[in-house]
Amino acid sequence: MSDIMLLAVFPYLAVMTALGVGIYRYLNDRFSYSSLSSQFLEARALFWGSVSWHYAILLILSAHILALLFPSKWAALVGEPVRRYVLEISGLGLAIVAVGALIILIARRLTNRRVFMLTSKMDWLLLLVLLLQVLLGFYLALVYRWGSVWYLHTAVPWIASLFWLKPQIEFVSHLPLLVKLHFAGAFLLVFLFPFSRLVHFVTVPLGYLWRPYQLVIWNRHPLNRKEMLR
Amino acid sequence: MDIRAQISMVFHLDKCIGCHTCSVACKNIWTDRKGMEYAWWNNVETKPGTGYPTLWEDQEKYHGGWKKSNGRLQLRSAGRAGTLGNLFFNPYLPTIDDYYEPWTYQYGELFNAPLGADQPTARPISLLTGESIDIKAGPNWDDDLGGSSIYAKNDPNLEQLSDTERAALNQLERLVFFYLPRICNHCLNPACAAACPAGAIYKRGEDGIVLLSQEKCRAWRMCISGCPYKKTYYNWGTGKSEKCILCFPRLESGQAPACFHACVGRIRYLGVLLYDAAGIDRVARASTEELVAAQRDLIKDPGDPKVQALARSNGISDQMLEAARNSPVYKFVKRWQIALPLHPEFRTLPMLFYVPPLLPVLAGINKEGNYEVAGTADGNPWPQLAALEQARVPLRYLASLFTAGNESAVQEVYRRLIAVRLAMRARNVKDVPANVLKQLLTQSGITPEEAAAISRLTATPTFEERFVIPPLAREQAIASWEDTFQHKQEAGFGFRQMPVRRF
Ligand code: SF4
Ligand code: SF4
């Protein structure tokens, strides 16, 4: 029963909240739709924490997502022992970097008075959940070897079944509790996404790569409005 | 040619008395809020000095503005992909300590302190942490050369001078400074806008005011380092950058911006310039020596019928054209050519121009123990003629500020300014020999009538002559493309949200 709650009901709840509240917030409170950068108040510790955190977690996350999207290609990739070793070891290394970075970021917010004053309850909650989730992932990778392989026939079909609205928790319900907690943690982060600074994840300004440098906005010329200068 | 209108400005530095009224007027209206206490959209700094934020001119430190590489214009900070790579941490962002830690005083203590032997005191407390602080810097810490041996000596513009020249600046008899009031330059090629990955900064087509959309800003903070003048500010409370809006709500109702209106020295002029937008890219890539002349060349004569026709075809109204013809800025910048842009080498094409301050003539005690003005010893009664070479501030310093190091361009401006003074003296005191005056006027290329006009607009202009504000007709403009009928009985003045983060 608790498995159903954790692995079938909660994921839907989380995704629906993320979409519903996320869109509502975008439409009604676009002003706050970003992270609240504190680099202006403290830069040194942030450099070590923020840069390493973002690169490490983005790489780890993309491994999780790529395996989910292209399971057969991923299976071919990790089928070869050397590649599997390299992948798992770099994963462990990145996890260590991510944990270290989070600890720096948390310590920074605790010790620097300026940043401390600016940290909301949601920021603390988010940092805590992220830390637990990354620590848990690191522990699982150590204790239950070859996650890059067993992930493919447990979590991947389970999430696919969720996606196709035919939840089949039997793919994962036999797994140890800690593994299930790691799964639920992922959806907890999805749940927290629209309420926290995590929203900055979807505002990455990729359009900058091709938009003209200068924006000129006209009020007149309703029909042939020239928006761009160059 | 693509003729556009720009509301531009001239600050006449000879008239600035360094009273900071402008800064306070602006602060009271726009930035007296949490997160912006430290920010002064208008600030006045003492030169030589390091300014606010400290060393803002040093682009080795902040990587602001543009640079030319292989004939192409590039942001000094990073390319497009590089900027995205810097999202997690902007390596060139100043921190609040480069400005100052804002504070207030515990005034309540003055009333609530228990009865005691000592006077109650109001201690300073930080507005960031609420804890009591030891004030180490302020928005004008080196005002009037205060602590110049620590601050002014680091002025990046002094790098152009030789060691002896620099040492000479420190001698008591030679001490000299002037004030440099600064607001956003509302540039034609703004680096702040180009650096913003979210595209939150834009130039208004009709009047050229550069604005930063609070709804689109996503706290990537690239504009802060990107603006070489450090005129966008990060609001640490809301996570939004903010900048000078040239008081557009005041302009739209026909009033001068608050800092202009409040200016005690009446140093500020505001008016319309017509320019050729098609030439922006070319001018921004001009060679360093030609930058000032090229930018001047971009500004077109509002009296020229051809320019007027092109302007009309671009939708510029007749009232705007009339304002352009009466623009005091046009006169200073283009007709008389005595106003210069600040640091044109940043290549943002700033549209705020400065009339440089007349340099104090060097004077001292001579061998006989008499007070002597330099250049008068050999019987020359007109030390102003020699003043340029004998001035206390080397011309190279001013060239570094206003002409990207081009000394002859500053010299030309000074020749004209000196000619105006002597022409007026000749008229009022009548003791300038005709041949001296004639030589001066031909050298500097101005007529006696022009000299009189410059003197008039400099010394005794009326309010209406200083600020020629065209009707911006914003309401009509909006009504013309938004059907007001559609919104009938809807929201009145529209919805308004407080700029606070609710999440
Ligand atoms: S002065 Fe700075 S903020 Fe103002 S328009 Fe120019 S680049 Fe942008
Ligand atoms: S109010 Fe005018 S005179 Fe006073 S400091 Fe500002 S610019 Fe200078």
Side-chain angles (χ1 to χ4, degrees):
Chain A
M1 185 61 208
S2 61
D3 271 359
I4 295 186
M5 290 302 291
L6 205 63
L7 301 171
V9 179
F10 182 58
Y12 283 119
L13 183 77
V15 171
M16 269 153 51
T17 313
L19 284 176
V21 180
I23 292 173
Y24 173 84
R25 179 173 169 188
Y26 188 73
L27 295 178
N28 288 287
D29 192 25
R30 204 166 298 177
F31 184 78
S32 76
Y33 223 80
S34 70
S35 196
L36 176 54
S37 168
S38 57
Q39 190 192 342
F40 189 64
L41 300 180
E42 198 287 331
R44 270 174 79 99
L46 184 79
F47 170 74
W48 296 105
S50 172
V51 175
S52 42
W53 160 255
H54 279 96
Y55 282 110
I57 202 64
L58 279 178
L59 285 171
I60 294 175
L61 195 64
S62 34
H64 283 71
I65 290 176
L66 284 178
L68 185 63
L69 293 181
F70 311 103
S72 52
K73 294 227 175 63
W74 187 266
L77 182 76
V78 295
E80 216 264 327
V82 177
R83 287 199 294 245
R84 188 163 66 229
Y85 273 118
V86 172
L87 208 79
E88 293 247 337
I89 290 175
S90 27
L92 279 176
L94 285 171
I96 293 176
V97 172
V99 171
L102 268 180
I103 290 175
I104 295 178
L105 291 177
I106 293 173
R108 167 179 179 268
R109 287 198 177 259
L110 281 172
T111 54
N112 186 300
R113 283 292 296 176
R114 295 173 179 180
V115 191
F116 181 83
M117 297 297 290
L118 208 59
T119 308
S120 68
K121 293 199 185 80
M122 183 51 91
D123 292 340
W124 290 121
L125 178 66
L126 191 61
L127 282 168
L128 189 72
V129 174
L130 283 172
L131 183 67
L132 290 178
Q133 179 72 351
V134 180
L135 276 175
L136 199 54
F138 179 60
Y139 177 76
L140 297 180
L142 274 184
V143 177
Y144 304 107
R145 276 295 151 74
W146 315 127
S148 59
V149 178
W150 58 254
Y151 177 72
L152 283 174
H153 39 259
T154 53
V156 171
W158 164 60
I159 292 179
S161 75
L162 289 177
F163 181 80
W164 297 114
L165 302 181
K166 293 193 191 99
Q168 285 174 281
I169 62 167
E170 53 276 17
F171 284 116
V172 283
S173 50
H174 62 282
L175 293 174
L177 180 67
L178 284 182
V179 180
K180 287 191 240 176
L181 281 182
H182 188 63
F183 293 165
F187 283 102
L188 179 59
L189 284 168
V190 172
F191 178 81
L192 289 179
F193 157 85
F195 302 103
S196 65
R197 58 170 63 212
L198 273 186
V199 289
H200 75 279
F201 187 77
V202 296
T203 64
V204 176
L206 289 179
Y208 185 60
L209 291 174
W210 53 82
R211 79 140 217 260
Y213 264 144
Q214 302 296 354
L215 297 172
V216 178
I217 296 187
W218 294 83
N219 234 342
R220 279 171 224 146
H221 313 308
L223 296 176
N224 60 341
R225 252 196 309 156
K226 286 184 239 164
E227 292 256 8
M228 313 295 188
L229 179 65
R230 257 176 284 150
Chain B
M1 268 206 281
D2 180 7
I3 297 291
R4 294 187 191 168
Q6 164 85 35
I7 301 213
S8 324
M9 306 140 272
V10 163
F11 288 2
H12 199 308
L13 292 187
D14 252 343
K15 301 175 73 184
C16 180
I17 57 175
C19 61
H20 303 276
T21 310
C22 44
S23 309
V24 174
C26 175
K27 164 80 37 196
N28 278 339
I29 296 188
W30 300 119
T31 60
D32 194 8
R33 293 172 278 125
K34 178 183 171 217
M36 288 297 274
E37 317 88 343
Y38 81 93
W40 297 81
W41 290 353
N42 180 108
N43 78 297
V44 184
E45 49 202 52
T46 303
K47 283 281 160 195
T50 48
Y52 158 91
T54 183
L55 291 175
W56 63 269
E57 291 157 292
D58 184 358
Q59 303 312 339
E60 298 294 310
K61 183 175 155 96
Y62 293 122
H63 292 243
W66 302 88
K67 65 170 187 225
K68 225 170 69 172
S69 79
N70 304 327
R72 289 191 46 204
L73 213 53
Q74 275 181 350
L75 285 176
R76 197 181 273 275
S77 50
R80 291 167 189 266
T83 300
L84 293 192
N86 285 343
L87 288 186
F88 308 142
F89 183 87
N90 177 353
Y92 313 124
L93 187 79
T95 67
I96 197 159
D97 294 311
D98 290 307
Y99 302 78
Y100 65 99
E101 181 162 354
W103 74 89
T104 183
Y105 295 93
Q106 284 176 311
Y107 295 107
E109 293 289 298
L110 298 179
F111 302 98
N112 304 331
L115 207 58
D118 302 319
Q119 286 268 23
T121 48
R123 292 190 178 284
I125 50 169
S126 161
L127 284 171
L128 296 180
T129 64
E131 291 165 353
S132 68
I133 61 165
D134 189 15
I135 301 168
K136 296 234 177 56
N140 247 323
W141 210 239
D142 56 350
D143 207 14
D144 292 355
L145 291 187
S148 53
S149 53
I150 307 166
Y151 302 101
K153 91 171 188 344
N154 293 324
D155 183 335
N157 300 294
L158 294 175
E159 268 163 36
Q160 310 298 324
L161 309 189
S162 67
D163 285 346
T164 28
E165 280 174 321
R166 257 191 274 185
L169 275 180
N170 280 332
Q171 290 166 17
L172 200 56
E173 317 70 74
R174 293 190 68 141
L175 268 192
V176 62
F177 62 82
F178 58 91
Y179 301 108
L180 185 69
R182 301 199 298 121
I183 65 173
C184 165
N185 299 293
H186 296 277
C187 308
L188 291 187
N189 187 29
C192 59
C196 173
I201 307 185
Y202 62 99
K203 200 169 177 64
R204 300 212 303 193
E206 290 80 14
D207 47 27
I209 297 176
V210 177
L211 295 179
L212 195 161
S213 163
Q214 296 289 292
E215 293 277 298
K216 283 191 184 166
C217 170
R218 291 281 168 271
W220 304 125
R221 23 185 225 293
M222 295 302 159
C223 59
I224 317 284
S225 49
C227 168
Y229 301 93
K230 293 290 158 285
K231 279 297 169 191
T232 51
Y233 296 88
Y234 182 70
N235 181 326
W236 52 266
T238 61
K240 304 281 155 181
S241 296
E242 299 185 15
K243 67 179 288 301
C244 159
I245 58 176
L246 202 58
C247 283
F248 72 82
R250 288 177 61 95
L251 283 177
E252 284 168 10
S253 51
Q255 304 173 75
C259 57
F260 285 69
H261 199 125
C263 178
V264 173
R266 302 181 180 187
I267 80 157
R268 299 178 176 221
Y269 301 80
L270 182 125
V272 177
L273 290 182
L274 300 180
Y275 68 96
D276 174 16
I280 292 176
D281 192 53
R282 178 178 43 80
V283 173
R285 285 184 290 112
S287 73
T288 318
E289 302 77 61
E290 285 164 5
L291 268 171
V292 172
Q295 188 179 352
R296 208 176 262 151
D297 201 47
L298 205 62
I299 298 164
K300 300 299 173 195
D301 180 3
D304 180 349
K306 215 176 86 203
V307 173
Q308 287 173 0
L310 283 166
R312 277 201 198 89
S313 72
N314 259 3
I316 296 176
S317 69
D318 282 343
Q319 292 104 313
M320 192 69 121
L321 284 180
E322 193 192 325
R325 280 193 296 275
N326 296 328
S327 167
V329 178
Y330 181 79
K331 292 176 190 154
F332 278 116
V333 175
K334 178 95 177 182
R335 184 172 303 158
W336 303 327
Q337 311 200 349
I338 53 176
L340 298 165
L342 180 63
H343 284 299
E345 74 274 19
F346 298 160
R347 300 181 184 277
T348 62
L349 306 195
M351 291 308 260
L352 160 57
F353 300 85
Y354 292 89
V355 180
L358 204 67
L359 303 172
V361 183
L362 194 59
I365 308 293
N366 66 10
K367 280 191 219 82
E368 287 87 58
N370 297 325
Y371 189 75
E372 181 186 296
V373 175
T376 49
D378 46 3
N380 175 6
W382 310 110
Q384 287 92 335
L385 281 180
L388 272 188
E389 288 70 33
Q390 304 275 359
R392 279 193 252 180
V393 196
L395 272 190
R396 225 168 314 143
Y397 179 79
L398 291 141
S400 164
L401 270 178
F402 296 117
T403 58
N406 180 343
E407 266 180 77
S408 64
V410 198
Q411 213 162 19
E412 273 170 35
V413 171
Y414 275 111
R415 295 254 176 255
R416 272 180 222 120
L417 292 175
I418 291 170
V420 170
R421 274 156 183 84
L422 280 201
M424 293 317 286
R425 187 180 173 106
R427 236 170 70 172
N428 298 325
V429 190
K430 302 191 170 59
D431 65 345
V432 184
N435 61 331
V436 173
L437 183 63
K438 188 142 176 280
Q439 186 202 347
L440 258 180
L441 288 174
T442 35
Q443 244 181 21
S444 58
I446 53 172
T447 64
E449 294 73 39
E450 272 175 339
I454 293 174
S455 160
R456 157 114 178 98
L457 199 57
T458 298
T460 53
T462 63
F463 198 86
E464 288 72 26
E465 284 168 332
R466 281 187 284 140
F467 312 126
V468 181
I469 302 166
L472 295 183
R474 221 45 197 178
E475 298 86 343
Q476 287 96 311
I478 293 168
S480 74
W481 56 278
E482 249 188 67
D483 186 1
T484 37
F485 235 125
Q486 232 178 10
H487 299 290
K488 198 178 159 202
Q489 295 186 333
E490 251 190 3
F493 290 110
F495 295 105
R496 246 199 47 183
Q497 284 187 352
M498 286 292 282
V500 288
R501 298 179 76 96
R502 290 178 292 154
F503 275 92

